[in-house]
């Protein structure tokens, strides 16, 4: 049985991933419709790692994604403890913003 802490972590991660999905560009939503449907299946089955991989792939392949999508993916990576993936996303954000970006979860979510 999952602990209350783990359930909160899953819920937080799912929220970051769903939010990232809603921020995808209209072009990505059309171009990657099959991948987005697959993402939804992964979310429904609590396969958060696979859902993350799918969205990250869409963001990397699409040329139209906003900075917010990357920020939310970095938060999801932090929530899942994927430090290496978070660092890569933080480097992307640093490049986009022109200053050093380091993702951290909100204090109440740590």
């Amino acid at each position: 049985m999952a602990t209350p802490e783990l359930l909160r972590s899953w819920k937080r991660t799912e929220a970051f991933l769903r939010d990232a999905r809603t921020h995808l560009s209209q072009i990505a939503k059309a171009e990657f419709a099959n991948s987005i449907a697959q993402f939804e299946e992964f979310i429904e089955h609590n396969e958060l790692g696979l859902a993350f991989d799918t969205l990250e792939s869409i963001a990397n392949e699409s040329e139209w994604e906003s900075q917010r999508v990357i920020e939310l993916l970095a938060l999801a990576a932090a929530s899942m403890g994927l430090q290496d993936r978070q660092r890569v996303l933080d480097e992307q954000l640093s490049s986009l913003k022109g200053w050093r970006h380091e993702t951290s979860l909100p204090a109440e979510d740590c």
Side-chain angles (χ1 to χ4, degrees):
M1 183 170 176
T3 65
E5 182 179 306
L6 184 57
L7 291 172
R8 280 191 304 275
S9 173
W10 287 345
K11 186 175 180 178
R12 176 186 62 217
T13 300
E14 180 181 338
F16 289 139
L17 292 171
R18 285 189 182 278
D19 199 10
R21 187 249 181 261
T22 65
H23 281 84
L24 290 174
S25 65
Q26 292 299 317
I27 294 169
K29 289 175 184 176
E31 188 175 334
F32 299 98
N34 290 338
S35 294
I36 292 169
Q38 194 172 38
F39 162 83
E40 295 294 343
E41 285 184 41
F42 291 143
I43 288 289
E44 286 177 30
H45 296 284
N46 200 37
E47 295 287 347
L48 301 179
L50 294 172
F52 174 85
D53 291 344
T54 302
L55 278 187
E56 184 181 42
S57 176
I58 291 169
N60 287 333
E61 290 180 44
S62 174
E63 299 176 13
W64 304 101
E65 296 326 298
S66 70
Q67 182 175 298
R68 186 64 181 148
V69 171
I70 307 303
E71 289 170 345
L72 289 162
L73 286 172
L75 284 165
S79 181
M80 290 187 285
L82 303 174
Q83 289 118 356
D84 291 340
R85 307 278 288 277
Q86 178 193 331
R87 275 192 283 275
V88 168
L89 291 162
D90 283 348
E91 288 174 15
Q92 285 180 283
L93 288 165
S94 295
S95 178
L96 289 169
K97 293 179 176 188
W99 50 270
R100 179 87 177 117
H101 176 89
E102 188 173 330
T103 298
S104 60
L105 294 172
E108 66 273 5
D109 288 341
C110 292

